[in-house]
Amino acid sequence: MRTILAGLMLAAAMTGGAARAQAIEDPEANVVDALVVSAKLPGPAWWRVSDGDTTIYVLGVPSALPKGMAWDRSVLERRLDGASVLLTPPVWQAGLTDIPAMLRLRGQLKDDGDWIARSPALAARTQRAWSAVDPKNADAWRKWKPAFVALQLNNKANGEAQLKVSEPDRTISDLARKRRVKSRPAAVHKAMPMLKTLVREHSEAAGLTCLSETLDATEAGPAPIRAAADAWAKGRVKDALAGPRSAERCELLMPGVVDLKRQLIEDEVQALADLLKTPGHAVAYFPLRALVAENGVLDKLRARGITVRTPAEG
């Protein structure tokens, strides 16, 4: 679902608009050092949110993992046993009636190539990167606007690097299902209102900056992503957070997405706070950086006076 959201935002972004300087406002740029600690237990890092009679074990997850990457699931399996629920990130829904509008939107992403003449250095980088991941269709990118080029290039590079954007989410959900633990999203949002906002308000500069960000990550190759994934699997939180964030930064360039990111954090905070009303224990997983960011999920819970224990405490 995170991948679908990113794709929709990028796909909606470049439907027109005048170019202007575009800075990136990043509400998750800074992290709380006290929360960024290595795990005591084997496998990925867990935090614990608790009150008098409830404990919620919270796992921070990356946006993707290399295909077939092994990670220790023993702590996850143990904590799923007897859990009241598996709380997952917010989800975005679109109905069948929204499909025609989405298809029309995609059609508006065709481009006459003017941006290539205006940004020759960026176009040359794009040609090299695209040729490396799709040599049979080396010029296919030229018919699309920059933001959609960035989306496709990112997807192709992920495929070349054998990154699975469905992981570790799918494995977590499968293990919960086997233990008959029901999953529940922190919130449910409709996709189309967001897309309509993105169509109305956009800038050409956002697409160009997004493409540049994507090229930075593509040119660096898969090694930084794999290193961050390996650190995540071994509970080294600081190193896991050091991975490239080009896709996230692209999202942040789109109109309304910064506020949306903050809303998702509020959704997760409230869902955890509400879950504390149910005695026993539960399991949750949310994006790692959103958990440990300043004014992120765990920071906001602590501000409410809720007890948060770090991975160093086991």
Side-chain angles (χ1 to χ4, degrees):
M1 189 58 68
R2 292 196 302 269
T3 305
I4 293 171
L5 176 58
L8 290 174
M9 285 191 280
L10 287 174
M14 286 299 296
T15 55
R20 60 180 183 274
Q22 184 97 20
I24 299 177
E25 181 184 355
D26 186 355
E28 297 176 6
N30 300 314
V31 297
V32 179
D33 290 339
L35 296 171
V36 181
V37 297
S38 293
K40 180 180 179 180
L41 297 175
W46 291 82
W47 289 259
R48 280 187 290 165
V49 176
S50 60
D51 62 8
D53 57 2
T54 306
T55 297
I56 307 172
Y57 298 101
V58 186
L59 176 64
V61 297
S63 58
L65 289 178
K67 182 179 179 180
M69 194 188 84
W71 53 279
D72 192 317
R73 304 164 190 176
S74 59
V75 177
L76 170 62
E77 292 171 337
R78 186 166 69 248
R79 289 176 170 173
L80 282 170
D81 286 337
S84 60
V85 70
L86 171 65
L87 191 63
T88 71
V91 298
W92 299 85
Q93 292 183 343
L96 291 175
T97 56
D98 296 323
I99 292 176
M102 291 181 180
L103 293 175
R104 287 194 298 270
L105 184 63
R106 189 178 188 277
Q108 294 172 6
L109 296 168
K110 296 285 186 176
D111 190 75
D112 56 13
D114 284 352
W115 73 268
I116 296 173
R118 291 193 299 270
S119 306
L122 191 64
R125 291 177 67 197
T126 303
Q127 182 70 69
R128 288 192 296 272
W130 193 283
S131 297
V133 297
D134 191 2
K136 293 183 179 179
N137 301 286
D139 292 321
W141 62 276
R142 292 177 176 270
K143 64 183 179 181
W144 300 105
K145 292 184 176 181
F148 198 54
V149 175
L151 170 63
Q152 294 181 87
L153 183 59
N154 184 66
N155 288 343
K156 289 176 182 293
N158 283 349
E160 282 289 302
Q162 293 192 310
L163 292 177
K164 303 290 289 183
V165 295
S166 59
E167 292 292 351
D169 305 55
R170 178 173 294 174
T171 293
I172 297 169
S173 296
D174 286 348
L175 289 173
R177 194 177 304 112
K178 288 178 181 177
R179 284 160 175 75
R180 305 193 180 200
V181 177
K182 292 184 178 180
S183 298
R184 183 175 76 226
V188 178
H189 295 282
K190 293 183 178 180
M192 284 310 296
M194 175 193 66
L195 289 177
K196 289 177 181 178
T197 298
L198 294 175
V199 170
R200 287 195 297 263
E201 304 173 22
H202 48 266
S203 75
E204 182 180 89
L208 294 172
T209 305
C210 179
L211 179 56
S212 179
E213 289 275 332
T214 301
L215 286 166
D216 288 344
T218 302
E219 290 164 353
I225 300 174
R226 290 181 175 277
D230 183 68
W232 171 81
K234 295 176 180 176
R236 304 198 314 270
V237 178
K238 184 176 181 180
D239 293 336
L241 292 169
R245 301 182 61 220
S246 60
E248 291 175 67
R249 287 170 63 82
C250 282
E251 291 177 16
L252 293 169
L253 286 161
M254 303 300 114
V257 172
V258 170
D259 290 338
L260 182 62
K261 285 272 189 179
R262 294 191 175 108
Q263 180 59 55
L264 295 180
I265 287 174
E266 292 294 341
D267 290 341
E268 292 163 4
V269 169
Q270 192 58 52
L272 288 168
D274 290 343
L275 192 51
L276 286 173
K277 299 173 184 177
T278 302
H281 85 271
V283 174
Y285 74 90
F286 297 127
L288 177 59
R289 182 170 286 270
L291 278 180
V292 300
E294 291 182 0
N295 293 313
V297 176
L298 298 176
D299 201 20
K300 285 181 174 291
L301 288 172
R302 295 197 309 175
R304 293 189 182 195
I306 295 171
T307 300
V308 175
R309 292 183 173 85
T310 72
E313 299 173 81

